[in-house]
Amino acid sequence: MIEVKNIRFKYAGSKHLVFDDFSLRLEANNIYGLLGKNGTGKSTLLYLLSGLLRPASGSVSYDGHLTRLRRPETLHEIFIVPEEFDLPSMSLAQYVKINKPFYPRFSHEVLESCLADFELSTDLRLNALSMGQKKKVFMAFALATNTKLLLMDEPTNGLDIPSKSQFRKVVAQHMADDRTLIISTHQVHDVESLLDHILILSPQQLLLDASVADITARYVFEYRTPAEMQDVLYAEPSLQGNAVIAPRKAGDAETQVNLELLFNAVTQGKI
């Protein structure tokens, strides 16, 4: 569905290559978690996927169409929610009226459902909202577009604890079978229960590209005492004991992925 082939990219005026001969393939009907330290290119990759940035060489394609060409038939299937954005000084109704024609499958029902889950009314003025409210309104609009590719950059930044729970509920309810969602985030605990597939970036390379099912089939994530550390691949001390990653053996029950522990293990080259 989405194919990144051997791309090379750097920002104008910079000598630093963000990507060099970088490739990636993403399939439909998945929620991807895009993780990495600051400066590894997570936001840049989202903008390259959407066609808002163009690689110096190589290609980025969506369903066989180059995103850099920004063709209408491609754009109406892609929506990006950036980390920071401004909304115009108008009502939500006016904003919807102006923008929904760009998205042929736009759903007022989905918009109203998302706003209700976020405990917001449909009668809003966009310039009167707090940062957290703006994020919730924009994410509600993004889900209502029903685009096949939805990109979110740090969507839970600026949300309080109840709103983060609402965000997970809203996304889970409105993920269609043919939709791909890519969430770039540092707030791993906010999204780890949603994810189907994990991508971990380091400068210019992909350290991990694996489904959650593959990860849980290979590893267990649990807490152990110092006497139970013989086969541990990676461990961190915690109040509950040592948080560990170990090989999953025959007969072991499947465990939930500890995404922060996995990220630290992968970036330190332990697994």
Side-chain angles (χ1 to χ4, degrees), residues 71-243:
R71 290 175 174 160
E73 61 268 27
T74 304
L75 293 181
H76 73 224
E77 294 293 1
I78 301 174
F79 197 94
I80 184 168
V81 179
E83 181 178 4
E84 297 181 2
F85 55 86
D86 291 315
L87 292 176
S89 179
M90 61 176 60
S91 69
L92 176 59
Q94 289 173 302
Y95 184 84
V96 170
K97 183 178 180 180
I98 291 169
N99 288 281
K100 74 173 184 178
F102 295 104
Y103 305 100
R105 293 188 300 278
F106 186 89
S107 169
H108 284 277
E109 292 77 14
V110 170
L111 177 64
E112 291 170 6
S113 174
C114 291
L115 291 173
D117 286 335
F118 280 133
E119 299 177 358
L120 294 171
S121 72
T122 56
D123 184 19
L124 297 169
R125 287 206 63 83
L126 302 181
N127 58 318
L129 302 176
S130 68
M131 186 181 88
Q133 288 173 324
K134 286 180 181 178
K135 275 218 159 182
K136 289 187 276 190
V137 168
F138 200 45
M139 287 190 288
F141 181 86
L143 288 162
T145 61
N146 280 312
T147 57
K148 290 183 179 179
L149 177 58
L150 179 55
L151 311 169
M152 291 188 176
D153 194 5
E154 300 290 353
T156 59
N157 276 6
L159 299 184
D160 57 23
I161 292 173
S163 298
K164 291 177 180 182
S165 177
Q166 292 166 342
F167 167 76
R168 290 189 291 270
K169 175 184 174 183
V170 165
V171 169
Q173 285 182 336
H174 298 290
M175 270 297 293
D177 288 344
D178 61 347
R179 171 172 265 177
T180 300
L181 170 59
I182 305 173
I183 301 174
S184 170
T185 185
H186 290 96
Q187 310 295 327
V188 293
H189 292 307
D190 293 344
V191 302
E192 62 186 356
S193 63
L194 287 172
L195 304 179
D196 302 308
H197 200 105
I198 311 299
L199 305 168
I200 298 180
L201 282 178
S202 74
Q204 300 187 16
Q205 62 178 318
L206 199 59
L207 294 179
L208 181 70
D209 179 1
S211 70
V212 170
D214 286 343
I215 294 167
T216 57
R218 294 181 63 187
Y219 304 110
V220 292
F221 298 79
E222 54 194 16
Y223 295 96
R224 293 188 181 180
T225 67
E228 302 172 311
M229 304 291 286
Q230 294 84 355
D231 62 340
V232 166
L233 301 172
Y234 181 76
E236 292 180 359
S238 76
L239 293 175
Q240 294 87 6
N242 291 307

Side-chain angles (χ1 to χ4, degrees), residues 1-17:
M1 181 186 177
I2 303 157
E3 192 162 20
V4 179
K5 283 186 178 180
N6 310 112
I7 62 168
R8 186 174 186 269
F9 178 84
K10 68 176 182 176
Y11 287 97
S14 173
K15 295 181 179 179
H16 169 66
L17 279 171

